[in-house]
Amino acid sequence: MGIWWQDLIDRPADLGSATLFEAKLVVALRIAVFAHKSGADPAPHVSARLGSIALSNQLSLVLEAMGQVWPDPFGVSRPCCGRLSPDEAMFVGMVRSAMRGNRASFDRQTREMIAEDGRTLIYNLMWQIGRMAAAAEATSGQVQPREG
C-alpha cells in the first residue's frame, strides 16, 4: 500500500523542522546510541537532555523494542548534526503519529518492515511518551504549591 502523502509530511528532513520536543527526542536518541556503543550508561545523559528520568526510561523502552524488531541497524546522525538520517526521520514520523493517537498512519509507515506485534508494542510505547510529555508540559506552566 505504501506511505500516504500526509505521512511523508510527518517526516522532517532536519531538526529545524521538528518540534522542540521531537528535536530533544532525536538528540536523546543519538546520545543513547553513542553512549551505548562506547559502553557508557546513557541514562544520565538522556534524562538530562529530556529533563525527566521517566521520559528517559520510556525512551529506553522504545529503543529496546525497536532494536528487537527493526530489520537493519538503526542509523543515527552525530549528536550535533542538524540533518536527520532516514531512520531518524521515520522515528519522528512514528512519534508524531503515536502522539496524535493515529494508529493507521503509524501502521502505514511501518507495515512493510515491522510485524504486527512489534508495531503494536512500539506504537503503545511511543503513545505513552506523548502522554508523559503532555503531562510534563501541563504541569511545567503551573505554580507549585508551597509547603507549610
Side-chain angles (χ1 to χ4, degrees):
M1 175 178 265
I3 299 173
W4 291 8
W5 68 271
Q6 182 65 41
D7 300 332
L8 289 174
I9 292 173
D10 279 346
R11 291 187 183 180
D14 55 49
L15 286 175
S17 57
T19 67
L20 178 59
F21 179 70
E22 292 165 351
K24 284 182 178 184
L25 275 179
V26 169
V27 173
L29 166 96
R30 292 173 178 178
I31 290 169
V33 169
F34 285 106
H36 179 73
K37 284 184 177 183
S38 69
D41 178 14
H45 308 290
V46 172
S47 63
R49 176 64 56 186
L50 295 176
S52 166
I53 293 172
L55 273 172
S56 173
N57 291 341
Q58 191 68 22
L59 180 60
S60 178
L61 292 172
V62 169
L63 297 180
E64 180 68 27
M66 287 175 66
Q68 298 297 318
V69 301
W70 211 258
D72 297 313
F74 191 90
V76 297
S77 297
R78 295 173 194 243
C80 60
C81 184
R83 192 97 178 125
L84 296 176
S85 74
D87 286 337
E88 290 171 336
M90 184 169 196
F91 174 82
V92 171
M94 292 164 61
V95 166
R96 284 181 179 178
S97 295
M99 287 178 68
R100 291 180 186 141
N102 189 342
R103 177 63 194 261
S105 173
F106 185 91
D107 283 345
R108 281 192 305 272
Q109 295 176 68
T110 57
R111 179 180 295 119
E112 294 179 11
M113 57 184 265
I114 302 173
E116 173 67 26
D117 57 341
R119 286 195 318 268
T120 299
L121 175 61
I122 294 170
Y123 174 84
N124 289 332
L125 291 170
M126 287 182 167
W127 180 80
Q128 186 62 33
I129 282 179
R131 289 187 48 147
M132 294 167 77
E137 184 178 306
T139 59
S140 67
Q142 296 176 356
V143 176
Q144 298 297 320
R146 296 198 304 167
E147 294 181 24

